[in-house]
Amino acid sequence: MDSLLKALSGTSNELVLGTFKALLTAVAAPLLLFIVKSWHSEFVKRRDRRRELYADALSTCMEYEEFPFVIYRRNGKKPEDERLRISEALRDVQKHIAYHQSWLRTESMSVADKYDELVSTLRSVAGEEMKKRWQAAPIKKDADMIVAPKFDWSAITAKEASYLKAVRKQLAPLWKRPFIR
């Protein structure tokens, strides 16, 4: 082999190997940097997409949480129209919650489980408040808009915190995940 390298190049094999190493380094280093940069770029895109999904899922829960107030402030002069308007809006939010529950299962089971817990608590607490608001008379004057009924959202707040912790853990780099509290 050494004699073949000498015959082809007319030089020693150390010079040929040195040239080959330099050429390999010149090609491999930029290629490796390109691969690392591409991987990082995809990681950032994927994390941003997930962040948006997780935020939208939480936003949908917050819309549901507002319905006791919507029902409380409904227009008493047009009860049929208000029932239709509110029930259609609630149906739309329920559809978005179901969408997020399904989609989150494809992204992260730990986040999906925490979201399901949040939704279950939300439906229990806010759902009960909605029943109470439907049974109460609608407000009749603008002054009643300011004095909204007080609700105990502590159970929902605890589940929101659990969901957000799962989201932070999911979005963190792998090496940081064990340290997230």
Side-chain angles (χ1 to χ4, degrees):
M1 182 75 169
D2 290 340
S3 60
L4 180 62
L5 285 173
K6 282 183 185 178
L8 289 175
S9 65
T11 59
S12 71
N13 61 348
E14 288 98 25
L15 184 61
V16 171
L17 286 176
T19 306
F20 179 72
K21 287 179 185 177
L23 183 60
L24 184 62
T25 303
V27 171
L31 182 61
L32 182 63
L33 287 173
F34 172 75
I35 290 169
V36 168
K37 185 176 186 263
S38 296
W39 176 83
H40 183 264
S41 176
E42 283 302 311
F43 171 79
V44 169
K45 283 180 190 174
R46 198 168 38 250
R47 186 186 63 204
D48 289 346
R49 180 188 56 78
R50 282 181 164 183
R51 181 179 289 132
E52 191 172 317
L53 169 68
Y54 298 152
D56 192 36
L58 184 60
S59 175
T60 302
C61 285
M62 296 307 97
E63 287 179 41
Y64 188 89
E65 192 174 338
E66 287 295 315
F67 273 94
F69 298 105
V70 170
I71 296 166
Y72 172 75
R73 293 180 173 127
R74 69 189 182 274
N75 182 353
K77 294 179 182 175
K78 299 180 181 179
E80 290 176 16
D81 292 343
E82 283 297 276
R83 276 194 305 276
L84 182 61
R85 178 185 69 86
I86 293 170
S87 65
E88 285 299 312
L90 186 57
R91 186 183 65 79
D92 192 47
V93 170
Q94 293 274 26
K95 180 177 76 173
H96 288 325
I97 287 173
Y99 166 81
H100 288 298
Q101 284 180 307
S102 298
W103 189 264
L104 288 174
R105 292 246 167 259
T106 67
E107 293 288 336
S108 167
M109 289 303 288
S110 61
V111 172
D113 289 343
K114 295 298 181 185
Y115 188 74
D116 288 346
E117 290 174 15
L118 170 60
V119 168
S120 176
T121 303
L122 187 63
R123 286 181 173 152
S124 174
V125 174
E128 190 59 38
E129 291 299 332
M130 284 188 247
K131 287 178 193 173
K132 291 177 186 176
R133 294 304 116 212
W134 279 118
Q135 292 168 353
I139 62 172
K140 296 186 189 251
K141 49 191 176 193
D142 291 343
D144 293 336
M145 292 290 287
I146 299 168
V147 184
K150 300 280 186 207
F151 304 129
D152 180 17
W153 298 123
S154 58
I156 295 171
T157 304
K159 296 301 181 181
E160 284 174 16
S162 294
Y163 170 74
L164 290 173
K165 179 182 175 185
V167 166
R168 274 194 314 276
K169 195 169 190 174
Q170 182 64 34
L171 294 175
L174 289 174
W175 63 271
K176 278 188 175 180
R177 290 181 185 178
F179 305 106
I180 294 178
R181 297 188 178 165

